Amino acid sequence: MPDLKKELIAMESHRSLFEEAIRGLQTPVLPVFQKGSALVPVAFDKVGETLTGKDDAAVKALFPRTTAAHGNKVLRISGANAKPMKGLRVAVLFSGGPAAGGHNVVTGLKAILGKENTLVGIKAGPKGLIEGKTMEITEADCRLIQNTGGFDFLGSDRTKIKTPEQFEAVRKTCREQRLDAVVVVGGDDSNTNAAVLAEKLGPDGVRVIGVPKTIDGDLQVASLLPISFGFDTATKIYAEMVGNILQDTPSSRKYWHFIKLMGRAASHVALEVALQTRPALCLVSEEVAERKYSLADLVDQVAQVVVARAKKGLQHGVVVIPEGLIEFIPEVNALIAELNEVLAHHEAELGGMDLAGKRGFLAGHASEACGKLFATLPEYIQEMLLLERDSHGNLQVSLIPTERLLMDMVKARVKAIDPGVKFSSLNHFFGYEGRCGVPSLFDAAFCYNLGLTAGSLVLAGKSGYMAAVTGFDRGGEALGIPLTGLINLERRHGQNEAVIEKALVKTGSPAFRFFAERRDSWAASDLFTSPGPRQLWGEVSRQVPISVALNQGYGSIVMNLGGKLAKATAAKKASKTPKKSPKKAAKKAKKSKKK
Amino acid sequence: MPDLKKELIAMESHRSLFEEAIRGLQTPVLPVFQKGSALVPVAFDKVGETLTGKDDAAVKALFPRTTAAHGNKVLRISGANAKPMKGLRVAVLFSGGPAAGGHNVVTGLKAILGKENTLVGIKAGPKGLIEGKTMEITEADCRLIQNTGGFDFLGSDRTKIKTPEQFEAVRKTCREQRLDAVVVVGGDDSNTNAAVLAEKLGPDGVRVIGVPKTIDGDLQVASLLPISFGFDTATKIYAEMVGNILQDTPSSRKYWHFIKLMGRAASHVALEVALQTRPALCLVSEEVAERKYSLADLVDQVAQVVVARAKKGLQHGVVVIPEGLIEFIPEVNALIAELNEVLAHHEAELGGMDLAGKRGFLAGHASEACGKLFATLPEYIQEMLLLERDSHGNLQVSLIPTERLLMDMVKARVKAIDPGVKFSSLNHFFGYEGRCGVPSLFDAAFCYNLGLTAGSLVLAGKSGYMAAVTGFDRGGEALGIPLTGLINLERRHGQNEAVIEKALVKTGSPAFRFFAERRDSWAASDLFTSPGPRQLWGEVSRQVPISVALNQGYGSIVMNLGGKLAKATAAKKASKTPKKSPKKAAKKAKKSKKK
């Protein structure tokens, strides 16, 4: 008993059985980085294609040095790097919201930089780079953080470096820390910032490399970068939760669950989770905008499925909802814009009014369309729309509880279609629990190889590139993507701003098309799957995101990354080849139908 | 590509990579059930202790047949059953909310009943037993459901069988189905119901056995039944989510998360999750009631920790809150009771009033204490307390969003203590996602052996017992617990009702005492752990609930269940013996502190 207490106290501070075991997990490494048991940096050639954005000329004018240096050409590996640079001091920082695998980017960097170079950690994100908050990262640190979740080793923040003073402060940090390179781990904005830093710090001899992070999955570059890191872990965490709830529905046989998933504007997360779990319904924001669905259309679509299933005795189901949905419904956008106008222009009159008063006032001042739509909304949403404004007088759309709004409106619609249908419902939002989980084997391996790639780019003297890994079905390939090749100009606050455009779900993509082919069957009867908790060991651990496999044209959803391990998998797979499984499974499925 | 689509379609309806793999998972079986590769039923003797409840005489009077038959003696195994009964038709049903592992109770039953007896599934719970909804369970069914989560194979419901008509209907079903025994898988109420059925169906020659299920963990019998099934899986699912969020806090460095966990009245779930994750704070309802804390006390306790951590630069943390907390705060109970009275006696006057009116009216009619407390509550809570009543005029306390209430009141209190402290917060409720996940190895093994035990009790001609498994640290022991030995009388709706009392957290228990010893350290600095997703394969998969290990006096948290596998574990453990680990880990922990 005293022993057990000692054991439990020894487990505090990241020492649980699982955390101790995970540090020892072997993750596949790209063969190109392997020389016997040692890791070697690779050399790059500009043998890749040239990336040309829609604002190519303007972007080249904004980034003359970088674009002249790399001509927006993708870097591909030309073999081992015979003369890697030495004595470098390389800094790494996390930027923006955390995503699983970030720690492995650091350990990958440390491993490839080796003993002849120094890895410096920037604490608390871009802010730390400005304020010069740094630490030297040791091998002992890396042993502790290997394969662990979160960004807590260094911390992160959302500071955007753009003012002359900020750039000067960054230069100061680079001088004082004698930095030769900075590796920025972040999303679209952070990588845009990395491109700017690469341009600005060039003259100081400081190279800048970006690493693609975001659970939202909206940082993708066709076949060059199938997905950003963190997406696989987040979607597997949400898919387990959604799968658990799906499993609950025919068990308790009485609830509809409306589940909103984190993921910002794009619907990649919702689509991937739907592909993994096959729920009755999944809404995709990009399709809603494309087809100009009204809120009433969406509510009716869901309600019709509820009624149809009820007629078959299925009084349960799951609706998956992307976080950004509300902003993709054209009429809702129009309503919010108009409300912002009205409220701004009549601040004085509206000042003292309560909800009822404001509602009446609005009826007199809003367009008919908006007035109609507004009247259909539940009171708590009307309140939000009328009362809650940020300092700029805008509504924070992200605060609208879309899952509850849909649930309540569907309830009313179902009653209107068929008062006989029983409809009990619950709503959920899965978000923060998906950002800092322990990385899936995919993200752990992806990130470690991203670290090896970023480090190799630095040791090859490159700057202004984003490290990338692709070909998860063929052993894996490391690339350098010219950041300026991804940048377009966007009108923000009345001026052109350089931005890496967020990749939204394409309704023409193989992943969406497959979803669209299957969704009616998923709605008609329970065909759901419950993919379970992500496993870090064994065959099951090697699943890649289904949307990635479909969009990249992979032949299977089992990851094939790294030389030796890849073969091992192939061998294992022989025992249950995908070729056979469909028939076999179909047969078994029949049996299960009998129940 | 077409291959991949086929593969994906073949995965629909419980055929994901994970679900296919999990069906093949070997779970440890108690040596006593093993004869070579075959499974054999065991015989039982009344060699165990006698259970004597506080209402022993009254209970014996209520259950004369059963108590005369087994004398409330615990059954212990007396070896293999040489003459197991044959040609029996045994029914099994799920009762109440789903819990992980139920399907393995069914497969365990099927395996031990063998080909010479028939296993009948009752569809949709007790209601199905009344309505005679049955199906024969085949070996093929069992191969499909082995180790899967949920109760969806049979379904469940919450019907309580108590009227003469209902009992007659059950008799009819037993006659028509020629049932010799009924196995009831459920919680405290369902097992009470099982005891009643055993007494009532005795004359018809129908035996009844209960199986202890509930994620709440409030069905425990000292060393005879350390825990009910489903608790381990639910707490491991919640612990991963809480651990992920804990990992997020020092990464984004700005949020306090208030997390309510499902678990009904008892705080077992919250306590276990706290022991697994070591958050800054975890409230325990039973302690709150015992120490007669006021709501203000609780709010202040949390606020003081928030302020103290802020002074150390920790602007983040996690507060774990048990679902039942609000009902354990004496003054809140008093307030609700008083409000129920006032609202009931002044229905007419209050009818037309809005919130403001009711608030004023209340001020005039409620006691000073209640008036004061009421005034401290946020408006949305005041609304609930005044407006929402069920058909009996009672407030559904479970609807109160305790996590949001505490969060908002703590925010105000922090501001009062030190306006300089930044306090951003988010709230969560983890519930349904924990009931139907795939069972942990612990629950999968526990349930399969519960099925073998329940089946053995039936084949030994026993009735009125609950199947139990204990000794998870010493290979495992199967028992039969006399249900009437657990029953007390409780005053409900003005009459004595037989009930199995819910086991609450004892503040004197080793688990609570250990938590109480450590919590100040957990509050003072980040010592949290992130136990990760439950693994189904490998050493990490064998962790038992920490609260069970502490309360049962186990020497380790690694499960030792079943003969052969138990040895295998011991061998594996040798490589990293608990004895050594504390020192080693402590040393490593030092290092990690340096960061």
Side-chain angles (χ1 to χ4, degrees):
Chain A
M1 181 62 176
D3 276 355
L4 176 55
K5 282 189 174 188
K6 267 197 226 124
E7 195 181 334
L8 290 173
I9 292 169
M11 286 179 184
E12 291 176 356
S13 178
H14 307 297
R15 296 292 172 184
S16 62
L17 285 185
F18 178 82
E19 287 161 300
E20 285 290 40
I22 201 67
R23 293 185 174 96
L25 175 69
Q26 291 295 321
T27 56
V29 171
L30 268 54
V32 68
F33 293 116
Q34 298 176 25
K35 193 171 179 187
S37 66
L39 291 170
V40 292
V42 297
F44 293 89
D45 277 343
K46 284 189 244 168
V47 294
E49 54 274 58
T50 304
L51 300 184
T52 316
K54 67 176 172 57
D55 308 309
D56 194 39
V59 171
K60 281 191 168 133
L62 279 173
F63 299 88
R65 286 198 197 80
T66 338
T67 48
H70 62 37
N72 282 354
K73 272 192 175 304
V74 174
L75 294 180
R76 291 183 187 269
I77 292 172
S78 56
N81 185 347
K83 290 200 190 60
M85 304 176 104
K86 289 182 182 166
L88 297 186
R89 289 177 57 83
V90 181
V92 58
L93 67 85
F94 296 131
S95 180
H103 287 167
N104 278 17
V105 174
V106 173
T107 58
L109 271 170
K110 178 72 182 173
I112 205 71
L113 290 175
K115 294 187 178 352
E116 285 156 323
N117 302 284
T118 306
L119 182 60
V120 177
I122 306 290
K123 290 183 188 170
K127 198 155 177 287
L129 184 60
I130 292 169
E131 297 172 355
K133 291 191 181 148
T134 64
M135 63 186 273
E136 184 172 331
I137 297 172
T138 68
E139 281 173 3
D141 293 330
C142 291
R143 280 192 296 275
L144 276 169
I145 63 174
Q146 183 70 28
N147 300 328
T148 61
F151 280 3
D152 53 311
F153 173 57
L154 293 175
S156 178
D157 94 323
R158 297 179 181 280
T159 305
K160 193 167 180 184
I161 303 169
K162 50 183 174 185
T163 70
E165 298 70 31
Q166 288 174 319
F167 285 116
E168 193 39 54
V170 170
R171 280 200 193 82
K172 183 158 168 288
T173 302
C174 292
R175 275 197 308 275
E176 289 178 355
Q177 291 293 320
R178 297 181 276 78
L179 298 181
D180 302 286
V182 178
V183 176
V184 176
V185 180
D188 51 350
D189 284 345
S190 311
N191 275 281
T192 304
N193 222 205
V196 176
L197 280 174
E199 182 73 16
K200 299 253 183 195
L201 298 180
D204 308 80
V206 180
R207 295 168 210 89
V208 181
I209 298 295
V211 177
K213 166 233 76 170
T214 170
I215 71 164
D216 306 336
D218 55 11
L219 182 49
Q220 312 179 359
V221 189
S223 64
L224 300 175
L225 180 69
I227 196 68
S228 54
F229 83 75
F231 176 81
D232 182 59
T233 304
T235 51
K236 281 186 171 133
I237 289 172
Y238 300 146
E240 187 205 347
M241 296 302 115
V242 171
N244 290 358
I245 287 174
L246 277 160
Q247 195 78 33
D248 200 301
T249 50
S251 302
S252 29
R253 301 165 44 257
K254 58 181 174 184
Y255 289 121
W256 272 85
H257 294 263
F258 287 65
I259 306 174
K260 186 170 74 177
L261 299 179
M262 190 176 257
R264 296 287 186 87
S267 304
H268 298 290
V269 169
L271 178 59
E272 172 63 27
V273 169
L275 289 168
Q276 285 187 37
T277 60
R278 293 92 171 171
L281 285 144
C282 171
L283 305 176
V284 176
S285 306
E286 293 84 345
E287 181 186 33
V288 170
E290 209 170 287
R291 300 199 179 184
K292 300 195 171 44
Y293 284 140
S294 68
L295 184 56
D297 294 333
L298 289 176
V299 168
D300 186 64
Q301 285 168 22
V302 177
Q304 295 297 349
V305 171
V306 169
V307 172
R309 286 173 63 100
K311 290 204 166 67
K312 294 184 196 166
L314 298 172
Q315 285 171 354
H316 62 263
V318 166
V319 185
V320 171
I321 301 160
E323 184 179 19
L325 179 67
I326 201 81
E327 296 175 77
F328 284 75
I329 305 172
E331 63 171 3
V332 175
N333 268 338
L335 172 64
I336 291 169
E338 199 173 314
L339 287 178
N340 287 341
E341 284 298 313
V342 176
L343 295 181
H345 288 81
H346 303 277
E347 225 176 334
E349 298 112 291
L350 289 160
M353 294 188 193
D354 63 359
L355 180 61
K358 287 193 174 183
R359 220 190 272 132
F361 184 88
L362 182 72
H365 293 71
S367 71
E368 195 189 343
C370 286
K372 270 209 184 116
L373 173 57
F374 187 81
T376 65
L377 301 172
E379 200 172 76
Y380 60 90
I381 297 291
Q382 293 184 341
E383 279 192 38
M384 287 190 71
L385 294 178
L386 288 176
L387 306 179
E388 293 183 15
R389 287 292 181 280
D390 66 17
S391 49
H392 310 293
N394 296 319
L395 178 80
Q396 279 178 275
V397 185
S398 64
L399 294 179
I400 298 178
T402 322
E403 67 279 26
R404 195 180 149 200
L405 169 64
L406 279 172
M407 182 177 80
D408 294 339
M409 292 183 78
V410 166
K411 188 185 187 66
R413 182 70 189 128
V414 166
K415 203 168 176 197
I417 300 172
D418 182 345
V421 171
K422 273 194 203 151
F423 181 74
S424 309
S425 57
L426 294 159
N427 63 87
H428 313 261
F429 171 52
F430 297 142
Y432 291 86
E433 52 272 63
R435 311 195 312 171
C436 283
V438 66
S440 62
L441 184 65
F442 176 90
D443 274 327
F446 184 19
C447 288
Y448 191 70
N449 285 286
L450 280 172
L452 298 176
T453 306
S456 292
L457 286 164
V458 168
L459 294 174
K462 307 294 182 184
S463 184
Y465 291 91
M466 180 164 68
V469 174
T470 187
F472 295 100
D473 64 330
R474 49 184 169 87
E477 181 186 2
L479 301 166
I481 301 175
L483 285 163
T484 47
L486 307 175
I487 288 177
N488 295 328
L489 297 188
E490 209 174 80
R491 205 76 189 157
R492 286 187 186 176
H493 317 299
Q495 57 188 6
N496 283 336
E497 233 182 79
V499 298
I500 295 176
E501 216 174 322
K502 284 186 190 295
L504 299 180
V505 169
K506 294 187 185 65
T507 54
S509 66
F512 182 85
R513 288 211 315 274
F514 179 73
F515 162 73
E517 284 167 28
R518 299 304 304 159
R519 61 180 159 186
D520 292 345
S521 314
W522 301 348
S525 60
D526 280 341
L527 295 180
F528 66 83
T529 39
S530 189
R534 61 205 183 288
Q535 300 298 297
L536 278 301
W537 291 271
E539 171 74 357
V540 175
S541 67
R542 303 180 64 83
Q543 184 171 322
V544 302
I546 294 176
S547 52
V548 167
L550 285 165
N551 290 337
Q552 297 289 312
Y554 296 166
S556 140
I557 58 170
V558 176
M559 174 170 72
N560 171 357
L561 198 63
K564 301 177 191 88
L565 277 164
K567 285 193 202 67
T569 317
K572 266 216 209 92
K573 281 182 64 185
S575 63
K576 54 173 199 168
T577 71
K579 299 277 165 295
K580 242 196 297 171
S581 78
K583 241 214 261 89
K584 200 181 80 215
K587 222 176 73 211
K588 280 201 204 148
K590 260 221 206 78
K591 275 197 203 136
S592 70
K593 292 274 166 36
K594 283 209 217 108
K595 311 180 317 193
Chain B
M1 183 62 177
D3 276 356
L4 176 56
K5 282 188 174 189
K6 270 198 224 120
E7 196 180 334
L8 289 173
I9 292 169
M11 287 179 185
E12 291 175 356
S13 178
H14 307 298
R15 296 291 171 185
S16 62
L17 286 186
F18 177 82
E19 286 160 301
E20 286 290 39
I22 202 67
R23 293 185 174 95
L25 175 69
Q26 292 295 319
T27 56
V29 171
L30 268 54
V32 68
F33 293 116
Q34 297 176 24
K35 192 172 180 186
S37 64
L39 289 171
V40 292
V42 297
F44 292 89
D45 276 343
K46 284 190 247 171
V47 293
E49 53 275 57
T50 304
L51 300 183
T52 316
K54 66 175 171 58
D55 308 310
D56 194 39
V59 171
K60 282 191 167 131
L62 279 173
F63 300 87
R65 284 196 197 81
T66 337
T67 47
H70 61 38
N72 282 352
K73 274 192 173 304
V74 174
L75 293 181
R76 291 181 187 271
I77 292 172
S78 57
N81 184 347
K83 289 200 192 60
M85 303 175 104
K86 289 181 183 167
L88 298 185
R89 289 177 58 84
V90 181
V92 59
L93 68 84
F94 295 132
S95 179
H103 287 167
N104 279 17
V105 173
V106 173
T107 59
L109 271 170
K110 179 71 181 173
I112 206 70
L113 290 175
K115 295 188 180 345
E116 286 157 322
N117 302 284
T118 305
L119 183 60
V120 177
I122 305 291
K123 291 184 188 169
K127 199 154 177 288
L129 184 61
I130 292 169
E131 297 172 356
K133 289 190 182 149
T134 64
M135 63 185 274
E136 184 173 331
I137 297 172
T138 67
E139 281 174 4
D141 294 329
C142 290
R143 280 192 297 274
L144 277 169
I145 63 173
Q146 182 71 29
N147 300 328
T148 61
F151 280 2
D152 52 312
F153 173 58
L154 293 175
S156 179
D157 94 322
R158 297 181 180 279
T159 305
K160 192 166 182 184
I161 303 169
K162 51 183 172 185
T163 69
E165 298 70 30
Q166 287 175 320
F167 285 115
E168 194 38 54
V170 170
R171 279 199 195 84
K172 183 159 168 287
T173 301
C174 292
R175 274 196 310 275
E176 289 178 356
Q177 291 293 322
R178 301 185 287 26
L179 298 180
D180 303 285
V182 178
V183 176
V184 175
V185 180
D188 49 350
D189 284 345
S190 310
N191 276 281
T192 304
N193 223 205
V196 176
L197 281 174
E199 182 73 16
K200 300 253 184 194
L201 298 179
D204 309 79
V206 180
R207 296 167 210 88
V208 181
I209 298 295
V211 177
K213 166 234 77 171
T214 170
I215 70 163
D216 305 336
D218 55 12
L219 183 50
Q220 311 178 357
V221 189
S223 64
L224 299 175
L225 180 69
I227 196 69
S228 54
F229 83 76
F231 175 82
D232 182 59
T233 304
T235 51
K236 279 183 172 138
I237 289 172
Y238 300 146
E240 186 205 349
M241 297 302 116
V242 171
N244 291 358
I245 286 174
L246 277 160
Q247 195 79 32
D248 200 300
T249 50
S251 302
S252 29
R253 303 166 41 258
K254 59 181 174 185
Y255 289 121
W256 273 85
H257 294 263
F258 287 65
I259 307 174
K260 185 170 74 177
L261 299 179
M262 191 176 256
R264 296 288 186 87
S267 303
H268 298 290
V269 170
L271 178 59
E272 173 62 28
V273 169
L275 288 169
Q276 285 187 39
T277 59
R278 293 92 172 172
L281 286 143
C282 171
L283 305 176
V284 175
S285 305
E286 293 83 346
E287 180 186 33
V288 170
E290 209 170 285
R291 301 199 178 185
K292 300 194 172 44
Y293 283 139
S294 68
L295 182 56
D297 293 334
L298 289 177
V299 169
D300 186 64
Q301 285 168 21
V302 178
Q304 295 296 351
V305 171
V306 169
V307 172
R309 284 172 65 99
K311 290 205 164 71
K312 294 185 196 163
L314 298 172
Q315 284 171 355
H316 62 263
V318 165
V319 185
V320 171
I321 302 160
E323 184 180 17
L325 179 67
I326 200 81
E327 297 176 76
F328 283 75
I329 305 173
E331 64 172 2
V332 174
N333 267 340
L335 172 64
I336 292 170
E338 198 172 314
L339 287 177
N340 288 342
E341 284 297 313
V342 176
L343 295 182
H345 288 82
H346 302 276
E347 227 176 332
E349 299 111 292
L350 288 161
M353 294 188 193
D354 63 358
L355 180 62
K358 288 193 174 184
R359 218 188 275 133
F361 185 89
L362 183 71
H365 292 70
S367 72
E368 194 189 344
C370 285
K372 269 206 184 120
L373 172 58
F374 187 81
T376 66
L377 301 172
E379 199 172 78
Y380 60 89
I381 297 291
Q382 294 184 341
E383 279 192 38
M384 288 190 71
L385 294 177
L386 287 175
L387 306 180
E388 293 184 16
R389 287 292 181 281
D390 66 16
S391 49
H392 311 292
N394 295 320
L395 178 79
Q396 280 178 275
V397 184
S398 65
L399 294 179
I400 297 178
T402 322
E403 67 280 26
R404 195 180 150 201
L405 169 64
L406 279 172
M407 183 177 80
D408 294 338
M409 292 184 78
V410 166
K411 189 184 187 69
R413 182 70 190 128
V414 166
K415 202 166 176 199
I417 300 173
D418 181 346
V421 171
K422 272 194 204 149
F423 181 74
S424 309
S425 57
L426 294 160
N427 63 88
H428 313 262
F429 171 51
F430 297 142
Y432 291 86
E433 52 272 64
R435 309 194 313 172
C436 283
V438 65
S440 62
L441 184 64
F442 176 90
D443 274 327
F446 184 19
C447 288
Y448 191 70
N449 285 287
L450 280 173
L452 298 176
T453 306
S456 293
L457 285 164
V458 168
L459 294 174
K462 308 294 182 183
S463 185
Y465 292 91
M466 180 165 70
V469 173
T470 188
F472 295 100
D473 64 329
R474 49 185 168 87
E477 181 185 3
L479 302 166
I481 301 176
L483 285 163
T484 47
L486 308 176
I487 288 178
N488 294 329
L489 297 188
E490 209 175 80
R491 205 76 189 156
R492 286 187 186 175
H493 317 300
Q495 58 188 6
N496 282 337
E497 232 181 81
V499 297
I500 295 176
E501 216 174 324
K502 283 185 191 295
L504 298 180
V505 169
K506 294 187 184 65
T507 53
S509 66
F512 182 86
R513 287 210 318 273
F514 179 73
F515 162 72
E517 285 167 29
R518 299 304 303 159
R519 61 180 160 186
D520 292 346
S521 315
W522 300 348
S525 60
D526 280 340
L527 294 181
F528 66 82
T529 40
S530 188
R534 61 205 184 287
Q535 300 297 297
L536 279 301
W537 291 270
E539 170 76 356
V540 175
S541 67
R542 303 179 65 82
Q543 185 172 322
V544 302
I546 294 175
S547 52
V548 167
L550 284 166
N551 289 338
Q552 298 289 312
Y554 295 167
S556 141
I557 58 170
V558 176
M559 175 171 71
N560 171 358
L561 198 63
K564 301 179 190 87
L565 276 164
K567 286 195 203 66
T569 316
K572 268 217 208 90
K573 281 180 65 183
S575 62
K576 54 173 200 168
T577 70
K579 299 277 164 297
K580 239 195 298 172
S581 79
K583 242 214 258 90
K584 201 181 79 214
K587 221 175 72 209
K588 281 202 201 146
K590 262 222 204 76
K591 275 196 203 139
S592 71
K593 292 274 169 35
K594 282 209 219 105
K595 308 184 317 192

